[in-house]
Amino acid sequence: MARMLYCLLLYLAAPLVWLRLLWRSRRQPEYRQHLGERWGFFGQPPGPEPLIWLHAVSVGETRAAQPLIQALLQAWPGHRLLLTCMTPTGRAAGTELLGDDPRVLQAYLPYDYPGAMARFLDHFRPRLGVLMETEIWPNLMAAAARRQLPVVLANARLSRRSARGYARIAALVRPALERLAAVAAQSEADANRLALLGAPRISICGNLKFDVSPAPAALALGETWRAALGSRPVWLAASTREGEEVLLLEVLERLQRPELLLVLVPRHPQRFEAVARLVQERGLTLAYRSQGLPGAEHQVWLGDSMGEMAAYYRLADLAFVGGSLLPLGGQNLIEAAACGCPVLTGPHTFNFAQASADAVAAGAARQVADAGELETVLGELLDAPAKRVAMGQAGRDFAAAHRGATARTLALITSAGR
């Protein structure tokens, strides 16, 4: 009954889904591409080879899945791999990471309408499905169960806030979770929350993001930038979200350090121009990454590029990881730690609670209560190069100590797929 009501609401919302696509395409025209795939209509069948399917909703999940994808391709040499996502940036990240590997296909996962999910599974006929992190779709799971398709939830995480939300619709969520063949949870806390909601066969495998190594080319690019900027201090604000940039620009102004360069990298590329206007409205001098390196006169360098976060981390003397000054849940700080960049976060890190707490405990990161404390800690660390070096080394050690999730997750997937 709960799924019937869910389906009814989906059908009633169909016009809004189209409007949302059109609205988002105003800033990202790529949303107007591959529209048929959103409803389960694809081109030619993929061919006779058996297929493994992995779903990563957007950029972060796609990057986290990279070592697992490579491990799956190596462990199942006679199979092709279908990578699905929900956003154009996720699709672009897949192309960037996997190149033109003939064994890898890409498509959008349809919206969770019964007919669309049936068409998707019947078209590609995967032997095994892997969902990254918290992608639970009731109609998808029902369609997979009807086709006896084993589906594994990998790199699974569930914050307290999300668990409370799912508990309110347990009649819808529990049957979907119960249909999973296995769950590879990031931490014991994630495992316990998922178990309370009905997820079966849970193993704690760790976080796949620890197994993502920074690309050597990106690190080399960061070194090149560092050499070009000389001894100028650089503060990186990475993966910032709407509402945070104003607070960070105020911190920059209050610091009153004319030599300091703020590298500002918004989380979502469709916000690049809006953030640029915020900088200019405050009278700060702005340069764009897409137009070259900043000059000595520039106070803010806007990171309007994709796939270069490791380069920004290698450039920076220290980094604030966004989504955490406001109650947005935070962003991944593991890449910064792996690059040896000292990390600061705000108080709201519930989407990455375990990794954030562990990084702070390891001395790789510091958590601040608000923008005022961020200003204080920034000033302290900018004047303490030895502390920054120690935090950077602690970050490398922290990242290295937590590797190994890929092998554990692969073993679980292999067992579920037999």
Side-chain angles (χ1 to χ4, degrees):
M1 182 62 71
R3 195 159 65 85
M4 288 177 62
L5 179 59
Y6 168 71
C7 291
L8 176 62
L9 292 174
L10 281 178
Y11 286 121
L12 291 174
L16 298 178
V17 172
W18 278 108
L19 288 173
R20 183 173 180 271
L21 274 176
L22 291 172
W23 177 259
R24 298 193 74 171
S25 72
R26 293 172 68 249
R27 292 185 177 179
Q28 281 186 278
E30 295 86 355
Y31 272 100
R32 291 195 291 270
Q33 299 173 359
H34 311 289
L35 286 174
E37 296 179 3
R38 305 280 190 179
W39 307 95
F41 297 104
F42 301 89
Q44 292 296 318
E49 299 92 346
L51 194 70
I52 302 169
W53 158 53
L54 186 144
H55 177 63
V57 63
S58 192
V59 176
E61 294 82 3
T62 301
R63 294 192 183 283
Q66 182 184 8
L68 181 59
I69 291 171
Q70 292 169 339
L72 286 167
L73 289 170
Q74 185 174 359
W76 303 59
H79 291 62
R80 299 180 78 186
L81 187 136
L82 169 66
L83 175 62
T84 61
C85 62
M86 297 299 292
T87 67
T89 50
R91 194 164 183 149
T95 301
E96 173 200 334
L97 294 172
L98 302 169
D100 55 358
D101 189 329
R103 292 178 61 195
V104 178
L105 308 173
Q106 279 195 266
Y108 285 126
L109 182 68
Y111 296 123
D112 196 35
Y113 291 88
M117 286 306 184
R119 286 189 292 272
F120 167 73
L121 293 178
D122 290 342
H123 180 86
F124 287 106
R125 295 174 280 107
R127 301 286 181 88
L128 172 69
V130 180
L131 306 175
M132 289 291 292
E133 302 202 0
T134 52
E135 288 296 290
I136 301 298
W137 299 91
N139 286 324
L140 170 61
M141 293 307 301
R146 284 194 296 272
R147 289 158 179 79
Q148 298 184 322
L149 170 67
V151 178
V152 176
L153 187 62
N155 214 40
R157 62 182 175 91
L158 191 67
S159 68
R160 289 192 186 92
R161 176 180 292 190
S162 295
R164 288 194 297 269
Y166 281 133
R168 296 189 191 101
I169 53 171
L172 181 65
V173 171
R174 182 174 290 273
L177 286 171
E178 289 174 344
R179 290 181 169 118
L180 290 166
V183 175
Q186 291 187 18
S187 69
E188 184 176 358
D190 295 311
N192 291 338
R193 293 180 196 122
L194 285 160
L196 287 173
L197 288 171
R201 296 172 288 279
I202 303 174
S203 300
I204 300 170
C205 295
N207 192 332
L208 290 170
K209 291 179 181 178
F210 284 106
D211 290 349
V212 179
S213 299
L219 296 178
L221 179 61
E223 295 284 358
T224 300
W225 292 344
R226 180 75 269 178
L229 293 177
S231 60
R232 184 177 185 183
V234 177
W235 163 35
L236 168 65
S239 299
T240 58
R241 303 280 295 277
E242 187 170 2
E244 288 188 312
E245 289 91 2
V246 169
L247 300 175
L248 297 169
L249 293 171
E250 289 174 352
V251 168
L252 177 67
E253 291 172 325
R254 290 197 301 267
L255 282 170
Q256 296 186 345
R257 293 177 180 244
E259 77 285 3
L260 179 62
L261 175 67
L262 170 60
V263 180
L264 189 53
V265 186
R267 171 70 175 168
H268 299 114
Q270 62 267 30
R271 298 189 57 245
F272 287 159
E273 285 308 314
V275 173
R277 287 194 297 272
L278 282 177
V279 175
Q280 292 163 338
E281 287 166 1
R282 301 191 75 87
L284 297 167
T285 50
L286 174 71
Y288 291 80
R289 156 69 186 109
S290 58
Q291 297 176 5
L293 286 166
E297 72 279 12
H298 293 121
Q299 297 163 284
V300 179
W301 194 31
L302 181 66
D304 59 339
S305 65
M306 298 293 293
E308 293 186 332
M309 193 60 77
Y312 294 123
Y313 283 130
R314 180 53 63 96
L315 163 68
D317 293 295
L318 70 170
F320 166 77
V321 177
S324 59
L325 268 184
L326 300 176
L328 300 166
Q331 299 295 337
N332 172 30
L333 53 68
I334 295 170
E335 186 176 14
C339 291
C341 185
V343 175
L344 303 177
T345 74
H348 306 287
T349 57
F350 50 82
N351 284 337
F352 300 90
Q354 190 69 54
S356 298
D358 289 347
V360 171
R366 289 180 62 174
Q367 192 166 42
V368 300
D370 52 30
E373 188 178 356
L374 175 63
E375 177 188 347
T376 300
V377 174
L378 272 170
E380 172 196 327
L381 290 175
L382 286 169
D383 292 331
K387 286 186 179 180
R388 297 199 308 271
V389 169
M391 287 181 71
Q393 186 56 53
R396 293 188 188 94
D397 295 341
F398 161 71
H402 287 80
R403 292 189 180 118
T406 300
R408 292 186 288 270
T409 304
L410 178 64
L412 187 68
I413 292 171
T414 302
S415 177
R418 285 175 182 160

